[in-house]
Amino acid sequence: MTIRKFHPLRIGLAICLAAGVAMSADAAEDKLTVVVTDEPKSLDPCDTDLSGNSRILHNNITEALVNLSPKDGSVVASLATSWRQVDDLTWEFKLREGVTFHDGKPFEASAVIAAVKRAQDPALACEVGLATLKGIKLNAEAVNPTTVLIKTDVVEPILPNKMSAVDIGSPATPSDGKTRSPAGTGPYKLDAWIPGQSVALTAYDGYWGDKPAIKNATIIWRAESAVRAAMVETGEAQIAYEIAPQDGTTDQDQAFPNAETSLLRIDAQVAPLDDKRVREALNLAIDRDGLVGTIFHEDAQKAMQVVPPSVFGFNPDIPVWTYDPEKAKSLLAAAKADGVPVDKEIVIYGRIGIYPNSSESLEAIQAMLADAGFNARLEMLETSPWLKRLLKPWDKDRQPSILQTQIDNAEGDAVFTLPNRFTTDGNQATIVDAKLDKLIADGSKATGDERKKLFQEAFRYIAVDAVNIAPLFHMVSIARVAKDVNYIPDVQAGNEIKLKSISYR
């Protein structure tokens, strides 16, 4: 089918919408406003595996023992100054001295122990425990106030990489529930979270590292790309993320690879999608070439798996799906002849604002599926109901569905993508496959070339044998930055607003 070309949206209307709540175009030098797509689900330190939470918390309010370099994914110091592997199951971390939490409590080994315990507490259902730490059990022990040992129940060759996702809150963080008032060690402390409106941060005078140039930062959210872009023009915001291609046409708009891969997750456990032929037909029905440069950014790369080439374990030998609606129709006909209920309605669940033109992309894909003979209905959701479709548990009598999502991997290793999404007990997995479970488990324990080989095989198995996804694109994002602001987004910008690095010219 033909995809219509997008032209600049009604920017005048967008400016009016933004200006209705706009401040002076000349922002005070001690204030910064950043506009994002949606409100965070949580501001608990253990929930930074969701990007909407992480971009406010991580390295702004809370910090981890280590960080990952945006240049090459290497592990660099943060709250830990050094680390070493003591034996196969034990890592030692030396902690930075003289660090205090926003509530005045000292940063010591006890805080690390508490954070590791909270992250894995099933009653809390922390995102980092359900995703990054899935499949391993950690036990943290203090050698002294500035030295901690972290022991694993299985060999974990990249434990420091995983610890980059474990943000550490004050020892006063409740152990019996989530907090909405995090106290971290970061350059900013939480001033206020006004639900439905904004999150306000203030520079922390006692920060151990380089002090931020801007004292007050406010994060707000707007669903429409044109509105976000216009807010920078009117001075209501100084930085706006996730600008749609049709809106990002000025010299203030910076395009950058964002480590995200967009895809459709297929519920392979519910008929007719439990038949591989139907899942193959779904992939063949999507005209990816027609989506690039129209709905998706012209620099987006067609995906054949759920991680970009920068990730260790990426398999360059998996073929990209071709657009072949006639073959899709043939596969559906063959499945129908064998009694598969291919005429059953399939719901496409989308998330409003998950990326620019998210609704338009699914409207186009719905039309493509209809052309190939699918009975597909589109349902766009806000973040909360979308998360209920993304995460287990699901209704056993649920309708067959495909889910619009995207997976980021700025950490650089396939283990940050595979276990939670593609193993039988994964919190987002719609597949039960013992062979795939073993490939992922074995790869997670291996090192070097063997680790790479097993992960490459797992990605091939997902794409060619299981076919429980419809990969779309390795994504490119656009951020609009005010002319008087110094800020260059990097590959981590989708998950982390590095407020400390931002200044006025």
Side-chain angles (χ1 to χ4, degrees), residues 109-338:
S110 58
V112 180
I113 293 169
V116 170
K117 185 176 181 180
R118 286 186 88 250
Q120 299 176 105
D121 186 347
L124 291 179
C126 292
E127 295 297 336
V128 69
L130 295 170
T132 298
L133 300 183
K134 176 180 164 50
I136 61 171
K137 293 181 181 179
L138 306 183
N139 181 45
E141 300 176 359
V143 176
N144 55 52
T146 60
T147 307
V148 65
L149 296 179
I150 298 181
K151 299 184 176 181
T152 62
D153 62 330
V154 295
V155 176
E156 182 45 83
I158 60 165
L159 181 68
N161 301 64
K162 290 197 170 186
M163 293 307 297
S164 70
V166 182
D167 278 33
I168 299 168
S170 164
T173 304
S175 60
D176 58 351
K178 298 285 184 72
T179 181
R180 291 180 62 88
S181 303
T185 58
Y188 288 87
K189 59 184 180 180
L190 179 67
D191 184 27
W193 179 7
I194 304 175
Q197 295 185 36
S198 63
V199 174
L201 309 179
T202 303
Y204 174 45
D205 291 336
Y207 183 57
W208 60 268
D210 294 335
K211 305 298 189 291
I214 299 172
K215 185 174 179 61
N216 301 291
T218 301
I219 294 90
I220 58 178
W221 40 90
R222 299 290 185 271
E224 294 295 328
S225 163
V227 172
R228 292 194 298 274
M231 291 171 78
V232 176
E233 293 300 306
T234 63
E236 185 185 358
Q238 285 69 56
I239 299 174
Y241 288 97
E242 296 295 342
I243 302 302
Q246 66 270 17
D247 301 322
T249 58
T250 75
D251 57 6
Q252 294 174 251
D253 298 305
Q254 301 184 33
F256 59 96
N258 64 7
E260 301 267 12
T261 300
S262 61
L263 66 143
L264 304 176
R265 186 193 67 184
I266 303 171
D267 191 342
Q269 295 179 303
V270 180
L273 297 172
D274 59 349
D275 189 287
K276 183 179 177 181
R277 291 168 296 184
V278 177
R279 302 194 298 273
E280 289 177 341
L282 191 153
N283 272 283
L284 291 165
I286 299 173
D287 181 8
R288 293 165 177 82
D289 287 319
L291 294 169
V292 175
T294 55
I295 293 176
F296 290 86
H297 194 278
E298 62 184 2
D299 293 335
Q301 300 296 311
K302 287 188 292 184
M304 53 190 176
Q305 57 204 285
V306 296
V307 294
S310 59
V311 170
F312 186 83
F314 175 86
N315 189 333
D317 298 323
I318 302 172
V320 176
W321 286 98
T322 58
Y323 175 50
D324 193 339
E326 294 307 314
K327 186 175 180 181
K329 292 176 183 178
S330 176
L331 286 169
L332 287 180
K336 184 174 184 178
D338 290 338

